[in-house]
Amino acid sequence: MSDKVVRKEKFLSVFPELVEELSEVLKGYGMTEEAIAWFENNLNYNTPGGKLNRGISVVDTYVLLKGLKSIEDLSKEEYKKIAILGWCIELLQAYFLVADDMMDKSITRRGQPCWYKVETVGDIAINDSFMLEAAIYVLLKKYFKSESYYVDLLELFHEVTFQTELGQLLDLITAPEDHVDLSKFSLEKHSFIVIFKTAYYSFYLPVALAMYAAGCADPKDLKQAQDVLIPLGEYFQIQDDYLDCFGKPEDIGKIGTDIQDNKCSWIINTALKLATPEQRKTLDENYGVKDAEKEKVCKDLFNEMGIEKIYQDYEEKIAGELKEKIAQVDESRGFKAQVLTEFLNKVYKRSK
C-alpha cells in the first residue's frame, strides 16, 4: 500500500469512533432510537466519502511542525486528537455540500444521490446540514476545552464558516444557473468568490488548526501561512476552472459543466475582459445554456482568444511568486516553510 493510502485509511479509522461518541450525546438528551439512527446515517452518508484532503492535511501539517518523520511517531491518543481536528473540517465540508446541493438542485455527489435526493430525506436535509455543523462544536468541546487555544479554535471555525458563506452568497447572486447576465461577471468578483468560498476553509484552515495544536500559532506565523495559502487557494480554483474547460475527461475524472452551468469561472471572466464587441455578443448568446452545440461555440471562442496560453503564463507567474514568498518565511518561532512547499507541490501543474 502506498503511503497516501495508509494515511487515508488511518484517518478513516477514527471516524466510526466519532459517530459513536456523537450518538452518545443524543442518547444523553433522550433522543429516540429512530432519530439517533437518522443522525448516524446523515454522518456516515455525507462526511467520509470524499478525498479527505483537507482533514488529512491537518495531520500531515502537524507531523511536519513537530519535526516528526511520519504519523507512526504519534501516540494513539495524540493521533486521534489531531485527526479529530481534521474530521471537524470534513464535517464543515459535509455541511456546506449538503446545503450547496439543495441550492444548486444537484442530482449526484461523490457518485451517489445528493442527500436531499435520498428517499424520505427531502427538506429534512436542511436541518441535517445544521446538525453536521453543530457536531464540530460538540467534538471541539469534548476534546479541546481544557486546551489554552480552545477559544482560538472556536473563533477560527466561526470566522472561516462565515467567510465561506460570504463567498457562496456572492456566487449565488452573481451567477444563478437559471438567469444568465454576463454583465455581473468580473475577474475581481471571481477573485473574491474563490478566496472566500474555497481558499480560507480548504487551504488556510487545515494549516492554522495544526499550528494551534503544535503550539506555533504566533500571529506573525499565522499571517505568514495566510499570505501564501490564500493566493495558493485562489490559484487552485483558477486551475480547477481551467481543467473544467480544457482538461481531458479521462484525466480529470469528470466531464466539465461550467459553461453550460453559467459558472462565474476564471475562463469566462478572462474572455469577457478580452472580448471584442462581436465576441461579447457570441458569449452572451451561447454561455450558460444547456446545449452542447452552444458550449462548443464558447470553447472554440476561448481557443481562438488564446485563453489556454494566458492560463499557462498565469500559472508560471503565480508559482514563481509563491516560491519567492516561501523562501522568505521566518522560521525563528517554530513555523516551517516546508508546510507551504508541500501544499504548493500538490497544486502546481496538477492535471486532475
Side-chain angles (χ1 to χ4, degrees):
M1 271 196 299
S2 72
D3 179 52
K4 191 176 179 183
V5 172
V6 170
R7 292 191 345 265
K8 186 172 181 179
E9 289 200 350
K10 190 172 173 76
F11 186 68
L12 275 166
S13 71
V14 174
F15 190 67
E17 295 174 44
L18 302 187
V19 172
E20 206 173 302
E21 288 168 18
L22 289 164
S23 296
E24 288 301 320
V25 173
L26 270 64
K27 285 175 190 166
Y29 286 132
M31 285 291 273
T32 64
E33 288 296 326
E34 182 190 15
I36 293 165
W38 184 286
F39 183 46
E40 287 178 354
N41 194 19
N42 173 21
L43 288 164
N44 286 316
Y45 193 94
N46 294 302
T47 316
K51 294 177 192 150
L52 308 176
N53 289 339
R54 295 169 185 83
I56 294 167
S57 290
V58 180
V59 182
D60 290 348
T61 302
Y62 180 82
V63 167
L64 274 177
L65 291 172
K66 283 291 195 179
L68 305 173
K69 286 198 177 105
S70 76
I71 53 173
E72 300 309 320
D73 295 333
L74 297 170
S75 69
K76 194 180 175 191
E77 294 72 25
E78 193 177 8
Y79 178 84
K80 183 180 177 183
K81 198 162 175 172
I82 304 308
I84 284 164
L85 289 177
W87 278 113
C88 284
I89 303 187
E90 295 299 333
L91 284 163
L92 185 67
Q93 163 86 333
Y95 155 57
F96 290 148
L97 296 184
V98 169
D100 200 35
D101 286 341
M102 294 188 80
M103 289 180 244
D104 291 347
K105 300 179 179 62
S106 299
I107 307 300
T108 60
R109 164 76 64 186
R110 296 169 174 169
Q112 59 184 9
C114 296
W115 179 241
Y116 81 101
K117 283 284 183 187
V118 172
E119 200 179 344
T120 76
V121 176
D123 287 349
I124 300 172
I126 298 170
N127 192 63
D128 288 336
S129 73
F130 300 160
M131 290 188 73
L132 291 166
E133 186 199 20
I136 295 166
Y137 299 100
V138 173
L139 292 172
L140 290 178
K141 184 178 178 182
K142 178 172 181 180
Y143 284 94
F144 294 92
K145 194 175 182 186
S146 62
E147 300 290 354
S148 59
Y149 53 88
Y150 175 57
V151 173
D152 294 309
L153 296 181
L154 297 179
E155 289 186 346
L156 183 61
F157 268 102
H158 285 310
E159 184 177 22
V160 170
T161 302
F162 189 51
Q163 286 165 328
T164 309
E165 289 159 355
L166 290 175
Q168 174 74 341
L169 172 62
L170 190 58
D171 195 13
L172 289 168
I173 62 176
T174 301
E177 212 172 311
D178 55 354
H179 180 69
V180 183
D181 181 1
L182 297 184
S183 67
K184 284 186 166 187
F185 286 20
S186 71
L187 278 167
E188 291 71 28
K189 270 189 191 172
H190 176 267
S191 181
F192 185 96
I193 289 166
V194 302
I195 285 172
F196 278 74
K197 191 177 168 180
T198 301
Y200 279 111
Y201 94 95
S202 298
F203 285 81
Y204 176 63
L205 181 58
V207 173
L209 290 172
M211 288 171 73
Y212 279 115
C216 60
D218 184 280
K220 288 176 183 168
D221 286 331
L222 288 166
K223 185 169 188 324
Q224 288 194 111
Q226 191 164 322
D227 286 349
V228 170
L229 293 164
I230 298 305
L232 179 59
E234 183 178 15
Y235 160 36
F236 174 85
Q237 187 56 54
I238 289 172
Q239 191 179 52
D240 222 44
D241 294 350
Y242 166 79
L243 291 171
D244 186 276
C245 183
F246 294 102
K248 293 175 183 165
E250 60 269 25
D251 289 340
I252 62 174
K254 63 176 183 178
I255 294 166
T257 59
D258 284 1
I259 294 171
Q260 291 196 31
D261 291 347
N262 189 38
K263 286 287 162 68
C264 179
S265 82
W266 180 85
I267 302 288
I268 181 65
N269 282 296
T270 301
L272 289 169
K273 200 167 182 179
L274 300 170
T276 63
E278 193 183 330
Q279 289 171 327
R280 174 59 191 260
K281 188 170 183 289
T282 302
L283 290 169
D284 281 328
E285 289 168 357
N286 293 279
Y287 194 80
V289 185
K290 305 278 189 208
D291 180 307
E293 283 304 310
K294 294 197 170 197
E295 178 185 51
K296 187 177 183 306
V297 170
C298 292
K299 281 194 177 181
D300 289 346
L301 184 56
F302 296 152
N303 281 320
E304 188 188 308
M305 296 171 97
I307 301 287
E308 201 161 358
K309 175 74 168 70
I310 294 167
Y311 167 77
Q312 286 158 359
D313 291 345
Y314 159 78
E315 180 166 53
E316 290 312 312
K317 181 172 175 284
I318 190 70
E321 287 171 3
L322 291 171
K323 282 175 188 168
E324 211 171 291
K325 275 188 186 176
I326 293 168
Q328 292 166 4
V329 163
D330 175 4
E331 297 186 332
S332 63
R333 290 171 299 271
F335 184 60
K336 291 186 171 68
Q338 191 189 347
V339 168
L340 305 174
T341 302
E342 295 280 339
F343 270 80
L344 177 57
N345 289 344
K346 285 176 195 168
V347 176
Y348 183 55
K349 288 201 179 295
R350 74 185 170 101
S351 59
K352 60 181 179 180

